[in-house]
Amino acid sequence: MTKTTPTRYSPLMVTLHWLTLLLILAEFILGETTSRIPNDTVAKLTPLAIHMLLGITILLVIITRFVVRMRTPQPAYASTGSAFLDGLGRFVHYALYLFVFLMAVSGLTLSGQAGLPQIVFGGVGSLPSDFYIFPPRLVHEFIAPVLLLLFLLHVGAAFYHQWFLKDKLFSRMWFGK
Ligand code: HEM
């Protein structure tokens, strides 16, 4: 039996795509606001707990999405007609998966080293005076702008397809027949 190439993404892939966007936007805002609260403020624990839980959810969603992407038929790569732009587009797609993964893993590593699960969820002990004594804190901070840059390249490419190449790329990443 031959597998046919679909013309659009599956409803599962579409759902995972837009869910990832929503979760990551919320996580960025939460991360930036939480990191501005001093560690000796008790009110920091709740936003930190939400940030950690959301981060773990993002990790599970991105792994699921990558596995579904690799194991199910996907539409053909939407070429721009330029080998350079096509190469860049492919690179950005894989880099997005990788850097979201690394962002979540660096957060988890930081959380482990700082003993956050016990402090935030168990109510045992208090937050360290400064997260920067743990190297993963710097990694977490360094990846944030890289992820933002990749995101902007990705959005820019999508609008380039939609408005200049007029190949209706957006409709492939939405529900329909
Ligand atoms: C893709 C998922 C994630 C994103 C996009 C994200 C985003 C961010 C951002 C933007 C910041 C502020 C960085 C800065 O100061 O410039 C931050 C801080 C932080 N994140 Fe995440 N994060 C994610 C996952 C996680 C996970 C899974 C954990 C732990 C389980 C975590 C724990 C933390 C901690 C402890 C801080 C430091 C807060 C502070 O300095 O007070 N993050 N995160």
Side-chain angles (χ1 to χ4, degrees), residues 81 92 105 138-139 164 168:
V92 169
V105 169
L138 274 178
V139 177
F164 289 93
K168 299 195 173 80

Side-chain angles (χ1 to χ4, degrees), residues 100-158:
V100 170
F101 179 79
L102 291 178
M103 190 72 186
V105 169
S106 60
L108 278 172
T109 313
L110 168 62
S111 148
Q113 288 188 3
L116 293 186
Q118 298 90 310
I119 302 166
V120 172
F121 302 111
V124 180
S126 51
L127 291 177
S129 57
D130 191 353
F131 282 125
Y132 287 92
I133 56 172
F134 305 104
R137 176 65 182 90
L138 274 178
V139 177
H140 207 56
E141 181 162 333
F142 170 76
I143 297 173
V146 176
L147 206 49
L148 205 58
L149 177 69
L150 290 168
F151 170 72
L152 291 177
L153 282 170
H154 182 64
V155 173

Side-chain angles (χ1 to χ4, degrees), residues 24 27-28 31-32 34-35 39 44 48 51-52 55-56 58 100 103-104 107-108 110-111 116 131-132 137 140-141 144 147:
I24 288 185
E27 184 72 336
F28 253 95
E32 290 297 341
T34 307
S35 63
N39 279 14
K44 179 165 180 157
L48 198 53
H51 182 79
M52 290 165 67
I56 293 165
I58 291 171
V100 170
M103 190 72 186
L108 278 172
L110 168 62
S111 148
L116 293 186
F131 282 125
Y132 287 92
R137 176 65 182 90
H140 207 56
E141 181 162 333
L147 206 49

